[in-house]
Amino acid sequence: QSRKSFARAVLHPRSPCERAARAGMGVDAKAALSGFVSSGSGSVTFRVLDTLGRVRAVLAADGTVSTAAGVVLAYIERDGTVGSASLEYLGEVTPAAAPNGTGYVTDAEDKLVAEVDYGRAIIKSAQGSTIAELRKDGEVRGHFGISCGALDGFDFQMLQQAAAFIAIIDPSFVQGK
């Protein structure tokens, strides 16, 4: 059992009505509501696509990770902590350490799961094997350089969130499952 806990930091109101109200009177209410209703958790940061281009998951701007059907899988906070849909602590991804540009992925028991090379955009297992390599265009290559799919909308500033998805939330994505 982990001693850490996970608390969801909600930066934005959750209901479409609250969001529209916050947008102010000078906004077309119908347009504001239609945009909020369609996305559910806010704008999309990136979409996870399988090798056939089908949406596997979506990371919203507020850190909510959902399936293509809209079922919440997990939450990724800005500090790199990851929580389940039931708000249980799953682990974390640290930002790049200054001297070597490496971050670390730990699970709920604080065991090392993977290392993130922020300079080369590579995620390696605790044993040193390549789990995933992320390309500039969002393509994700797994072990032996085989394409696993893509992160549509990805840029290198999102590497911490991408590592959280790949190493903690859905490791089967890079295993071809």
Side-chain angles (χ1 to χ4, degrees), residues 5-6 9 14 26 32 51-52 63 67 76 89 96 98 121-122 127 133 137 147 150 153 156 170:
S5 63
F6 181 80
R14 308 264 305 149
T51 56
L52 300 175
T67 65
I76 304 172
Y89 178 77
I122 294 175
Q127 294 77 30
E133 177 183 345
D137 63 356
S147 181
F156 291 111
D170 190 8

Tab-separated table of all heavy atoms in Angstrom, residues 5-6 9 14 26 32 51-52 63 67 76 89 96 98 121-122 127 133 137 147 150 153 156 170:
chain	number	residue	atom	x	y	z
A	5	SER	N	-0.967	9.860	-1.453
A	5	SER	CA	-2.358	9.948	-1.868
A	5	SER	C	-2.447	10.848	-3.080
A	5	SER	O	-1.513	11.571	-3.405
A	5	SER	CB	-3.233	10.480	-0.732
A	5	SER	OG	-2.833	11.794	-0.415
A	6	PHE	N	-3.574	10.798	-3.721
A	6	PHE	CA	-3.782	11.593	-4.919
A	6	PHE	C	-4.990	12.479	-4.712
A	6	PHE	O	-6.052	11.996	-4.350
A	6	PHE	CB	-4.010	10.693	-6.135
A	6	PHE	CG	-4.212	11.446	-7.415
A	6	PHE	CD1	-3.123	11.948	-8.106
A	6	PHE	CD2	-5.477	11.658	-7.924
A	6	PHE	CE1	-3.298	12.645	-9.285
A	6	PHE	CE2	-5.658	12.358	-9.104
A	6	PHE	CZ	-4.567	12.842	-9.794
A	9	ALA	N	-6.669	18.264	-8.482
A	9	ALA	CA	-6.728	19.728	-8.461
A	9	ALA	C	-7.597	20.171	-9.624
A	9	ALA	O	-7.245	19.963	-10.777
A	9	ALA	CB	-5.328	20.319	-8.600
A	14	ARG	N	-16.507	22.435	-13.580
A	14	ARG	CA	-16.752	21.191	-14.284
A	14	ARG	C	-17.979	21.217	-15.204
A	14	ARG	O	-17.968	20.624	-16.245
A	14	ARG	CB	-16.917	20.042	-13.303
A	14	ARG	CG	-15.781	19.948	-12.323
A	14	ARG	CD	-14.673	19.103	-12.493
A	14	ARG	NE	-14.603	17.743	-12.710
A	14	ARG	CZ	-13.612	17.233	-13.425
A	14	ARG	NH1	-12.753	18.010	-14.016
A	14	ARG	NH2	-13.490	15.960	-13.565
A	26	GLY	N	-20.428	38.823	-22.574
A	26	GLY	CA	-20.081	39.237	-23.921
A	26	GLY	C	-19.857	38.090	-24.882
A	26	GLY	O	-19.479	38.299	-26.018
A	32	ALA	N	-20.589	29.056	-26.748
A	32	ALA	CA	-19.757	28.661	-25.606
A	32	ALA	C	-20.182	27.314	-25.062
A	32	ALA	O	-19.360	26.444	-24.813
A	32	ALA	CB	-19.826	29.720	-24.507
A	51	THR	N	-2.219	1.993	-34.407
A	51	THR	CA	-1.527	1.911	-35.697
A	51	THR	C	-2.460	2.078	-36.887
A	51	THR	O	-2.009	2.397	-37.979
A	51	THR	CB	-0.764	0.574	-35.821
A	51	THR	OG1	-1.687	-0.494	-35.615
A	51	THR	CG2	0.375	0.486	-34.842
A	52	LEU	N	-3.753	1.884	-36.682
A	52	LEU	CA	-4.729	2.060	-37.759
A	52	LEU	C	-5.338	3.462	-37.765
A	52	LEU	O	-6.235	3.751	-38.550
A	52	LEU	CB	-5.840	1.012	-37.642
A	52	LEU	CG	-5.375	-0.443	-37.720
A	52	LEU	CD1	-6.536	-1.392	-37.482
A	52	LEU	CD2	-4.707	-0.714	-39.065
A	63	GLY	N	-5.944	17.575	-17.816
A	63	GLY	CA	-5.249	16.396	-17.327
A	63	GLY	C	-6.083	15.130	-17.296
A	63	GLY	O	-5.592	14.067	-16.923
A	67	THR	N	-11.018	7.282	-22.543
A	67	THR	CA	-11.046	6.405	-23.708
A	67	THR	C	-11.739	7.137	-24.846
A	67	THR	O	-12.324	8.209	-24.654
A	67	THR	CB	-11.811	5.102	-23.414
A	67	THR	OG1	-13.192	5.442	-23.169
A	67	THR	CG2	-11.226	4.361	-22.238
A	76	ILE	N	-3.749	13.136	-15.019
A	76	ILE	CA	-2.333	13.499	-14.953
A	76	ILE	C	-2.281	14.958	-14.524
A	76	ILE	O	-2.770	15.837	-15.226
A	76	ILE	CB	-1.628	13.339	-16.313
A	76	ILE	CG1	-1.787	11.911	-16.842
A	76	ILE	CG2	-0.153	13.725	-16.186
A	76	ILE	CD1	-1.294	11.730	-18.272
A	89	TYR	N	-3.781	7.046	-6.011
A	89	TYR	CA	-2.454	7.396	-6.501
A	89	TYR	C	-1.874	6.222	-7.287
A	89	TYR	O	-1.817	5.092	-6.802
A	89	TYR	CB	-1.545	7.745	-5.312
A	89	TYR	CG	-0.129	8.081	-5.686
A	89	TYR	CD1	0.177	9.319	-6.235
A	89	TYR	CD2	0.896	7.173	-5.486
A	89	TYR	CE1	1.478	9.637	-6.580
A	89	TYR	CE2	2.201	7.484	-5.814
A	89	TYR	CZ	2.484	8.717	-6.365
A	89	TYR	OH	3.786	9.034	-6.700
A	96	ALA	N	12.621	16.727	-15.960
A	96	ALA	CA	14.035	16.464	-16.254
A	96	ALA	C	14.924	17.005	-15.146
A	96	ALA	O	14.766	18.126	-14.700
A	96	ALA	CB	14.420	17.110	-17.572
A	98	ALA	N	18.411	18.480	-13.865
A	98	ALA	CA	19.319	19.415	-14.538
A	98	ALA	C	20.570	18.785	-15.156
A	98	ALA	O	20.845	19.016	-16.320
A	98	ALA	CB	19.699	20.537	-13.585
A	121	ALA	N	13.805	12.150	-26.111
A	121	ALA	CA	12.398	11.723	-26.132
A	121	ALA	C	12.285	10.198	-26.169
A	121	ALA	O	11.561	9.622	-26.969
A	121	ALA	CB	11.637	12.366	-27.287
A	122	ILE	N	13.021	9.567	-25.253
A	122	ILE	CA	13.013	8.107	-25.155
A	122	ILE	C	12.623	7.708	-23.738
A	122	ILE	O	13.095	8.295	-22.765
A	122	ILE	CB	14.401	7.519	-25.507
A	122	ILE	CG1	14.721	7.785	-26.986
A	122	ILE	CG2	14.465	6.032	-25.199
A	122	ILE	CD1	16.104	7.345	-27.406
A	127	GLN	N	15.325	-1.510	-16.372
A	127	GLN	CA	16.467	-2.349	-16.754
A	127	GLN	C	17.269	-1.748	-17.908
A	127	GLN	O	18.302	-2.282	-18.284
A	127	GLN	CB	15.996	-3.756	-17.145
A	127	GLN	CG	15.399	-4.551	-16.000
A	127	GLN	CD	13.981	-4.119	-15.658
A	127	GLN	OE1	13.223	-3.670	-16.501
A	127	GLN	NE2	13.630	-4.234	-14.386
A	133	GLU	N	9.956	5.453	-28.102
A	133	GLU	CA	10.662	6.619	-28.623
A	133	GLU	C	9.613	7.484	-29.297
A	133	GLU	O	8.831	7.001	-30.108
A	133	GLU	CB	11.716	6.178	-29.638
A	133	GLU	CG	12.443	7.317	-30.283
A	133	GLU	CD	13.440	6.849	-31.343
A	133	GLU	OE1	13.769	5.655	-31.381
A	133	GLU	OE2	13.863	7.709	-32.136
A	137	ASP	N	6.768	14.252	-35.083
A	137	ASP	CA	5.417	14.241	-35.652
A	137	ASP	C	4.408	13.513	-34.767
A	137	ASP	O	3.246	13.369	-35.136
A	137	ASP	CB	5.421	13.628	-37.044
A	137	ASP	CG	5.860	12.168	-37.060
A	137	ASP	OD1	6.236	11.617	-35.999
A	137	ASP	OD2	5.819	11.555	-38.150
A	147	SER	N	6.444	0.778	-35.025
A	147	SER	CA	5.437	1.807	-34.762
A	147	SER	C	4.291	1.233	-33.938
A	147	SER	O	3.756	0.169	-34.239
A	147	SER	CB	4.896	2.375	-36.075
A	147	SER	OG	3.945	3.376	-35.797
A	150	ALA	N	0.404	6.805	-32.608
A	150	ALA	CA	0.847	8.196	-32.583
A	150	ALA	C	0.119	8.973	-31.497
A	150	ALA	O	-0.939	8.562	-31.029
A	150	ALA	CB	0.601	8.847	-33.940
A	153	GLY	N	-1.205	15.757	-32.016
A	153	GLY	CA	-1.168	17.031	-31.302
A	153	GLY	C	0.010	17.132	-30.354
A	153	GLY	O	0.175	18.126	-29.656
A	156	PHE	N	7.134	18.313	-27.854
A	156	PHE	CA	8.074	17.820	-26.844
A	156	PHE	C	7.848	18.398	-25.448
A	156	PHE	O	8.313	17.839	-24.470
A	156	PHE	CB	9.515	18.014	-27.307
A	156	PHE	CG	9.876	17.116	-28.452
A	156	PHE	CD1	10.105	17.638	-29.716
A	156	PHE	CD2	9.942	15.748	-28.281
A	156	PHE	CE1	10.414	16.797	-30.776
A	156	PHE	CE2	10.248	14.899	-29.344
A	156	PHE	CZ	10.484	15.432	-30.594
A	170	ASP	N	-1.329	3.277	-19.578
A	170	ASP	CA	-1.609	2.273	-20.610
A	170	ASP	C	-0.329	1.686	-21.202
A	170	ASP	O	-0.021	1.919	-22.373
A	170	ASP	CB	-2.478	2.891	-21.697
A	170	ASP	CG	-3.023	1.883	-22.702
A	170	ASP	OD1	-2.849	0.666	-22.490
A	170	ASP	OD2	-3.639	2.311	-23.693
